[in-house]
Amino acid sequence: IALRARTTAQTRRRPVLGGAGPAALSERGSRERAGSRLRAAAGRVDRSRGGTASATGRNMSPMALGRAALLALVLSLASVTLWVQFWAVGLREPSAALSPGSASSGLQGESELRLSQQALRPAVWDGGHEPAARPAASLDTELPETWQHALAAERQQSHARQVLRCSTTKGPFRVRLYPELAPNGTAFLAGLARAKYFDQTGGVAFFRVNKHITQFGVSKRAPREEDPFIEFRGGAVRDLNPDPARTTTWPRGTMASIGGFHFLIVIRANRQMGLNRHDAPLGIIPEEDMVNTIDKLFAYNDIINSPKKGPGPDQTRLMREGIEYIDREFPLTDRIYGCELQDLS
């Protein structure tokens, strides 16, 4: 540009050579040739610069264009992700979203959960009375046909019609007892209730809960001279299965004794129960109580069925160390705080 401007200025300052001689013409020709060369050089520089600029704007390779598009896509996804995270945080409760260290201190959160669960447990048994807002459901549940035949055969004997009412950390439940089906087992259970076995300090833990059954009943055994339940330690005399063919599917809500202080409740009807000649049901829990209480029991891993899937309450340690073992290592375990026996009219 500078060369072109200088050449233009020199050209404009050239004198008029109207009647000049050969020397003047020669000088004029040399100046014109020099100016032409300068203008040509300036034009080449302009074209070179324009070509470079156009190559930068128009001749990008497909790979470069792909990288630019990918970068734009990544930035868009990152902005959307951040927006969603901020939106989710806004939906949380203030205590969960704003408490310092809530995201980094998992142990602290678990400790607070345990404390809150323990705070919900009643300090004393409320006597097993039903809440005023919950209407009493019928205790008469349809039994399997084979059990009905056993009941009919035993009707000639005088059996008290009784119900066991228990209070738990998830609410009360009732068991309609059928001594016609398991006279020894129901008598043993009634004796434990009268002796306040289920009213022990700390409660009796539902130490095993899975989708099929829940198991409870065992506790720490005190020294013989200090054991208030020594008369029951021998367990109940085993009853015979009311279904000799052992083909009856035990219905949901069935409560049974499986030896000693071990009791179970059937959560899902299955054919795995009642296969032993001494498997005898003690009674039936009405569906309302199953839904409102038993179905809500907290379930740790069942180490009997799935020993490799994580920790869970160990009944051997429970019998050796007592309820303190449950409080220390599995504090969310639900438990029974008391049971009482009532006669039905």
Side-chain angles (χ1 to χ4, degrees):
I1 294 172
L3 289 174
R4 184 165 55 183
R6 187 183 306 171
T7 302
T8 303
Q10 291 176 355
T11 304
R12 290 177 179 176
R13 290 197 300 267
R14 287 198 300 266
V16 179
L17 301 178
L25 292 174
S26 176
E27 181 180 358
R28 175 184 177 185
S30 62
R31 287 179 178 178
E32 290 179 352
R33 286 193 296 273
S36 299
R37 286 195 295 270
L38 290 175
R39 287 193 296 272
R44 285 195 299 270
V45 170
D46 290 343
R47 287 193 298 273
S48 174
R49 289 179 178 176
T52 302
S54 64
T56 304
R58 295 192 302 268
N59 299 326
M60 293 180 66
S61 64
M63 183 176 295
L65 290 173
R67 290 176 179 174
L70 181 60
L71 178 60
L73 178 61
V74 170
L75 292 176
S76 300
L77 291 176
S79 62
V80 171
T81 302
L82 288 175
W83 181 86
V84 170
Q85 290 178 348
F86 282 118
W87 176 76
V89 169
L91 293 180
R92 297 176 185 170
E93 296 181 0
S95 59
L98 302 178
S99 58
S102 60
S104 60
S105 179
L107 294 178
Q108 180 180 358
E110 183 179 357
S111 176
E112 293 176 354
L113 179 61
R114 291 178 177 179
L115 290 176
S116 64
Q117 175 73 10
Q118 292 176 351
L120 292 175
R121 295 173 178 164
V124 295
W125 177 44
D126 62 3
H129 299 293
E130 298 294 326
R134 181 188 300 180
S138 173
L139 290 168
D140 295 327
T141 304
E142 184 177 358
L143 301 179
E145 185 177 354
T146 53
W147 294 1
Q148 293 180 16
H149 291 326
L151 287 175
E154 294 292 331
R155 290 298 184 191
Q156 56 186 355
Q157 301 186 18
S158 176
H159 292 288
R161 299 181 69 244
Q162 295 178 317
V163 58
L164 185 71
R165 297 177 179 269
C166 298
S167 175
T168 77
T169 49
K170 286 297 193 294
F173 71 90
R174 299 159 296 168
V175 187
R176 166 70 165 89
L177 300 180
Y178 288 97
E180 300 90 346
L181 301 180
N184 299 322
T186 52
F188 181 76
L189 178 60
L192 289 178
R194 294 190 186 98
K196 302 300 182 183
Y197 176 81
F198 297 101
D199 299 60
Q200 298 181 60
T201 302
V204 176
F206 290 98
F207 65 88
R208 183 185 181 194
V209 181
N210 58 43
K211 63 183 180 180
H212 297 289
I213 65 163
T214 179
Q215 191 172 336
F216 64 96
V218 296
S219 61
K220 183 178 181 180
R221 183 169 182 172
R224 184 178 181 85
E225 59 277 7
E226 302 175 7
D227 190 353
F229 310 107
I230 187 64
E231 62 179 301
F232 300 99
R233 293 300 178 185
V237 177
R238 303 299 299 274
D239 294 293
L240 293 178
N241 195 322
D243 177 15
R246 305 173 207 168
T247 58
T248 301
T249 298
W250 281 20
R252 167 177 162 87
T254 301
M255 180 174 170
S257 171
I258 53 176
F261 289 78
H262 292 266
F263 300 94
L264 65 80
I265 297 171
V266 176
I267 296 177
R268 177 183 296 180
N270 62 84
R271 299 183 60 86
Q272 302 303 316
M273 307 303 303
L275 299 180
N276 190 287
R277 69 184 299 265
H278 290 293
D279 287 344
L282 305 179
I284 300 292
I285 299 174
E287 177 63 19
E288 180 190 37
D289 294 355
M290 290 293 296
V291 172
N292 292 327
T293 301
I294 304 302
D295 288 347
K296 297 178 181 179
L297 297 178
F298 187 86
Y300 285 101
N301 177 47
D302 181 358
I303 62 174
I304 297 177
N305 287 351
S306 307
K308 297 182 179 180
K309 289 188 177 181
D314 184 345
Q315 59 179 321
T316 303
R317 291 189 60 185
L318 174 58
M319 290 186 288
R320 184 174 64 247
E321 303 175 33
I323 199 66
E324 292 78 14
Y325 156 69
I326 297 294
D327 290 335
R328 183 175 61 253
E329 299 191 22
F330 303 99
L332 301 183
T333 302
D334 288 295
R335 58 197 74 189
I336 297 175
Y337 274 113
C339 293
E340 65 176 4
L341 200 65
Q342 294 181 354
D343 292 331
L344 296 175
S345 56

